[in-house]
Amino acid sequence: IGVTEFFRDPKAYKTLEERVFPYLFEAKRQKEVRIWVCGCSTGEEAYSLAIAIHQYAERKQIRLNYTIIATDVNNQSLAVASKGQYLPSKLASLSQDQLDNYFTYNGEKYEIKGRVRDNIIFARNDATSDPPFINLDLVTCRNLLIYLEPPLQRKLLLNFHFGLKEGGYLFLGLSENILDLKDNYNVVSEKWRIFQSWGETPKMRE
């Protein structure tokens, strides 16, 4: 899905910083935080999340240990994401401070700095058929589910729940929801589609 941008829905990221990051990065200090960005497209979502994490660490004056696994089924999108180079028009939503702190300008494009890029692994993965990643603290899958039929949406949601540690978080797009799995997630923010997992994963329907 090629529809993506940096810091899509900025207030949703603000909610992550206020209600999710403190648990992930302070309550679990010294442990690696594992994050899966499913359907990362050309990388904007993954880099936005990494920048938000770095900004949080700088404000709190803490060191963070985290890995973002960013996946997509499209090899061309992954190639763009791995380069981390974007035209200025793609970065219009970023502040000048964010551009200065997290990008290098080469006269034509902005390139993400290594201290952000080094925490991200880009890989090909078909979330509808490949096994989910496991031992995850956060899964973001924003505006992919809306392109799938409800049975396939439910399959992905089950896979996300299976991959998340109990108490891990799920971050969806504004037009998406957790269907009939409300008993397996606590609502952190209904408005911004942030949920916290708990309990055993239900079985897949035949």
Side-chain angles (χ1 to χ4, degrees), residues 2-204:
V3 181
T4 186
E5 62 186 72
F6 279 90
F7 286 96
R8 178 169 40 186
D9 308 315
K11 290 183 179 179
Y13 280 90
K14 184 68 173 176
T15 303
L16 279 183
E17 293 175 24
E18 293 175 348
R19 305 183 64 181
V20 174
F21 287 0
Y23 171 79
L24 293 185
F25 297 115
E26 294 188 64
K28 300 179 62 176
R29 196 173 297 181
Q30 307 301 325
K31 295 183 180 179
E32 181 190 19
V33 173
R34 284 171 50 84
I35 300 168
W36 179 18
V37 177
C38 178
C40 69
S41 187
T42 46
E44 288 90 336
E45 200 84 51
Y47 288 127
S48 296
L49 189 58
I51 290 171
I53 291 170
H54 274 264
Q55 291 177 150
Y56 179 83
E58 288 172 357
R59 282 199 307 274
K60 296 291 184 177
Q61 296 185 331
I62 57 177
R63 297 187 66 180
L64 303 181
N65 180 19
Y66 74 96
T67 298
I68 296 175
I69 306 164
T71 67
D72 202 272
V73 73
N74 187 286
N75 288 326
Q76 290 182 328
S77 293
L78 286 171
V80 174
S82 295
K83 287 183 179 179
Q85 297 178 354
Y86 301 92
L87 292 171
S89 59
K90 291 287 188 178
L91 305 174
S93 61
L94 299 183
S95 69
Q96 190 60 50
D97 282 346
Q98 288 172 324
L99 291 175
D100 292 341
N101 288 333
Y102 303 110
F103 292 85
T104 301
Y105 186 55
N106 63 14
E108 179 183 0
K109 292 183 177 182
Y110 283 92
E111 182 173 354
I112 196 79
K113 290 184 177 180
R115 64 193 181 102
V116 176
R117 174 66 180 83
D118 290 347
N119 289 92
I120 305 175
I121 300 170
F122 290 102
R124 189 183 187 281
N125 176 273
D126 186 343
T128 65
S129 59
D130 293 335
F133 296 92
I134 59 173
N135 296 323
L136 300 166
D137 298 285
L138 171 64
V139 172
T140 78
C141 183
R142 310 194 68 217
N143 302 312
L144 168 61
L145 297 181
I146 57 175
Y147 294 95
L148 307 177
E149 294 296 326
L152 202 50
Q153 290 182 26
R154 189 176 191 275
K155 178 181 178 181
L156 262 65
L157 289 168
L158 288 171
N159 284 346
F160 296 155
H161 190 275
F162 176 79
L164 283 166
K165 300 174 184 175
E166 185 162 356
Y169 294 88
L170 175 65
F171 182 29
L172 300 178
L174 293 185
S175 299
E176 300 167 331
N177 218 311
I178 51 176
L179 303 179
D180 62 337
L181 302 182
K182 296 183 184 296
D183 289 341
N184 298 94
Y185 288 94
N186 294 320
V187 177
V188 177
S189 173
E190 183 68 40
K191 181 177 182 179
W192 301 117
R193 300 298 191 265
I194 302 172
F195 308 91
Q196 187 175 29
S197 69
W198 69 281
E200 295 184 2
T201 304
K203 293 183 179 180
M204 185 75 68

